[in-house]
Amino acid sequence: MTEEINPFDVAKTQIDIVAKEMGLDKNITEYLKRIERSLIVTIPIVMDDGTLQIFEGYRVHHSTVRGPGKGGIRYSMDVNLDEVKALATWMTWKTSLLNLPLGGAKGGVRVDPKQLSMKELEHLTRRYTAEIINVIGPDIDVPAPDIGTNAQVMAWMMDVYSMQKGRSVPGVVTGKPVEIGGSVGREPATGMGMFFVLQAFCEKLGLDLKSQTIVVQGFGNVGGTFAELLYNEGCKVIAVSDVSTGIYYEDGLEIEKLLEWVKQGNYLKDYENDKYKLITNRELLTTKCDVLAPSAIENQITQANVNEIECKIIVEGANGPTTPEADKVLFKKEIRVLPDILANAGGVCVSYFEYVQGINSYFWKLDRINEELKRIILEAFEETYKISEERHISLRTAAYIIAVSRIAKAIELRGIFP
Ligand code: GLU
């Protein structure tokens, strides 16, 4: 929609905003805007038809001051170094806000995984892992799934790393299949975290969650799970979208049937129901509703559409869906935003549980996973809410104050090497 907005510029502006609010030291502010290290790799793949195609991949560590890097791997045609830098930076704030002993990292390959055969996808993943092998590892940086990747991709990554080490190293990635050291509850964790945070926020505002109308942009693992949980709660989910289209029905969509359709590999645009209306992405985002959940990609709520947004609450399932300029307008319009680094942190939270379970070789039951996820994410929510109320600032700025303070403190305590 607005390709000219550079996500890393957005990430740096967000640091400036919070630095000003909390009076952060100028030099530390500049330091936080830098990337610890970034690696660009070339991935040559012999395709099924015998031709050679060359792909570009990245792995970026924004900060490892509080622990090993942590963050997903994205396979998408929109991936570029600055996007990965932004996503790595946001991971730093996310792990810090949840007080997990991890840093922030991200990776990606510029590729459309839907255009690859299973064999090509496997070869791409294996070669990419081999190329980044020296900057990942259980104590260095632990990748996970993101847009365009899944548990199978993590299994291949774990296998390449383990083959090189000569022993099984499950702790090198999270979001693995349960059969090889993955955690139950990891897949729905991001959507579930969004649900817990929204539920708690509605309580604070005296709103009945069940009677809220919901619009969700993105119907993948994050948006799909979130929509399903709200649908099961009794909410009317009036619009959802995937890459093919948005669909709208004012009496509420049948989310379970739609999820089944999409899980079979179909697009929403091909779903047949006479009552459902196909809508554009812009129409979806500006649909009048109570809760809007942008759960796809960056830069969706911008100066170009923010004045038309008509909801009470925004729950950011995606990373970086709102630009700082649009954020200011939302604050003035009194539209409350549950920011990405809080709202979608459920995924990395359960990734952390997977990591801990793997280290201990002792695996928890689903009840324990969901209970601890709820506890950790709601602690972060309560802290964020309190600061935002006390200082009359947005939930985003409040969340950033907590996250950035912890990083700044860690830098101060460790000192600058040498
Ligand atoms: N890719 C997810 C995110 O953006 C999960 C990262 C992880 O589990 O490490 O939060």
Side-chain angles (χ1 to χ4, degrees):
M1 180 161 126
T2 39
E3 307 95 79
E4 72 279 3
I5 301 171
N6 179 327
F8 193 47
D9 287 341
V10 169
K12 287 188 280 192
T13 304
Q14 288 167 333
I15 296 170
D16 280 332
I17 292 169
V18 69
K20 195 170 161 211
E21 177 64 35
M22 62 192 275
L24 188 66
D25 176 85
K26 209 171 137 273
N27 296 320
I28 296 294
T29 306
E30 285 314 306
Y31 183 25
L32 296 180
K33 287 195 233 167
R34 300 298 184 101
I35 293 298
E36 260 180 29
R37 61 190 67 82
S38 54
L39 179 63
I40 305 176
V41 298
T42 296
I43 308 161
I45 299 296
V46 179
M47 306 302 277
D48 292 351
D49 65 3
T51 60
L52 183 72
Q53 272 197 39
I54 316 246
F55 299 89
E56 187 159 290
Y58 313 90
R59 187 70 192 174
V60 168
H61 301 167
H62 170 255
S63 170
T64 55
V65 70
R66 298 182 74 251
K70 188 81 196 82
I73 306 276
R74 180 171 292 196
Y75 286 176
S76 154
M77 285 310 286
D78 296 328
V79 165
N80 59 61
L81 184 59
D82 272 3
E83 184 192 45
V84 180
K85 283 182 179 178
L87 291 162
T89 309
W90 292 328
M91 285 309 303
T92 301
W93 313 137
K94 217 185 283 189
T95 54
S96 176
L97 177 63
L98 262 59
N99 216 354
L100 306 176
L102 298 167
K106 204 83 175 192
V109 179
R110 194 179 315 129
V111 61
D112 178 359
K114 286 213 164 97
Q115 300 300 319
L116 301 183
S117 69
M118 202 60 172
K119 190 174 136 201
E120 290 164 347
L121 185 67
E122 177 174 350
H123 285 180
L124 176 101
T125 301
R126 288 187 181 278
R127 182 64 188 250
Y128 168 64
T129 309
E131 293 296 339
I132 64 165
I133 206 155
N134 290 324
V135 298
I136 59 169
D139 312 320
I140 303 170
D141 171 21
V142 183
D146 196 75
I147 294 171
T149 56
N150 56 24
Q152 177 60 71
V153 170
M154 294 306 117
W156 289 325
M157 292 192 73
M158 178 238 178
D159 186 64
V160 171
Y161 191 85
S162 299
M163 285 297 127
Q164 294 303 312
K165 299 288 160 187
R167 65 195 148 83
S168 189
V169 189
V172 66
V173 288
T174 60
K176 299 179 291 296
V178 173
E179 294 82 352
I180 53 167
S183 176
V184 289
R186 172 62 186 86
E187 225 164 76
T190 310
M192 195 167 280
M194 290 168 73
F195 178 81
F196 289 145
V197 170
L198 175 64
Q199 198 178 37
F201 193 40
C202 283
E203 264 171 44
K204 295 272 186 222
L205 301 178
L207 297 172
D208 173 33
L209 179 60
K210 286 186 183 58
S211 54
Q212 306 303 305
T213 52
I214 318 285
V215 169
V216 184
Q217 182 199 32
F219 206 53
N221 180 34
V222 177
T225 306
F226 181 63
E228 187 180 23
L229 290 168
L230 290 170
Y231 175 78
N232 291 341
E233 187 70 13
C235 298
K236 255 192 229 169
V237 182
I238 57 171
V240 297
S241 69
D242 65 3
V243 288
S244 72
T245 187
I247 71 175
Y248 172 81
Y249 182 46
E250 62 181 356
D251 290 339
L253 302 160
E254 288 181 315
I255 295 300
E256 251 151 33
K257 287 190 184 152
L258 289 172
L259 277 174
E260 225 179 274
W261 177 253
V262 167
K263 275 179 192 151
Q264 284 163 1
N266 301 306
Y267 286 117
L268 286 177
K269 72 173 170 41
D270 300 319
Y271 188 81
E272 280 178 22
N273 185 322
D274 293 343
K275 291 182 188 146
Y276 294 1
K277 193 176 130 199
L278 297 189
I279 57 172
T280 64
N281 189 45
R282 190 179 178 103
E283 285 168 333
L284 177 113
L285 291 171
T286 55
T287 298
K288 188 171 173 16
C289 61
D290 297 314
V291 178
L292 172 65
S295 309
I297 51 170
E298 308 89 70
N299 298 332
Q300 295 302 296
I301 302 176
T302 67
Q303 264 169 323
N305 62 6
V306 67
N307 287 312
E308 293 161 55
I309 304 275
E310 275 194 86
C311 63
K312 289 195 290 232
I313 301 171
I314 292 176
V315 190
E316 294 184 334
N319 295 309
T322 310
T323 64
E325 296 75 25
D327 224 11
K328 266 193 217 157
V329 180
L330 293 172
F331 190 70
K332 274 200 202 119
K333 284 175 70 164
E334 291 184 20
I335 294 177
R336 309 294 299 266
V337 182
L338 288 162
D340 49 3
I341 61 166
L342 171 66
N344 74 34
V348 74
C349 186
V350 177
S351 270
Y352 170 63
F353 299 159
E354 179 174 331
Y355 177 76
V356 169
Q357 292 171 86
I359 289 169
N360 293 314
S361 279
Y362 182 80
F363 287 83
W364 311 347
K365 289 224 181 307
L366 184 59
D367 284 356
R368 179 166 175 199
I369 299 279
N370 289 340
E371 209 176 286
E372 300 234 1
L373 163 63
K374 189 169 184 179
R375 178 181 63 78
I376 290 181
I377 207 159
L378 290 188
E379 266 173 28
F381 166 75
E382 287 295 340
E383 238 179 307
T384 302
Y385 182 77
K386 188 164 171 268
I387 292 180
S388 89
E389 288 294 295
E390 280 170 7
R391 299 175 76 139
H392 307 289
I393 53 177
S394 69
L395 289 162
R396 187 183 323 274
T397 306
Y400 265 74
I401 288 178
I402 299 165
V404 172
S405 302
R406 287 197 182 123
I407 300 290
K409 187 71 194 173
I411 294 171
E412 183 199 318
L413 288 168
R414 288 182 57 162
I416 307 283
F417 180 82

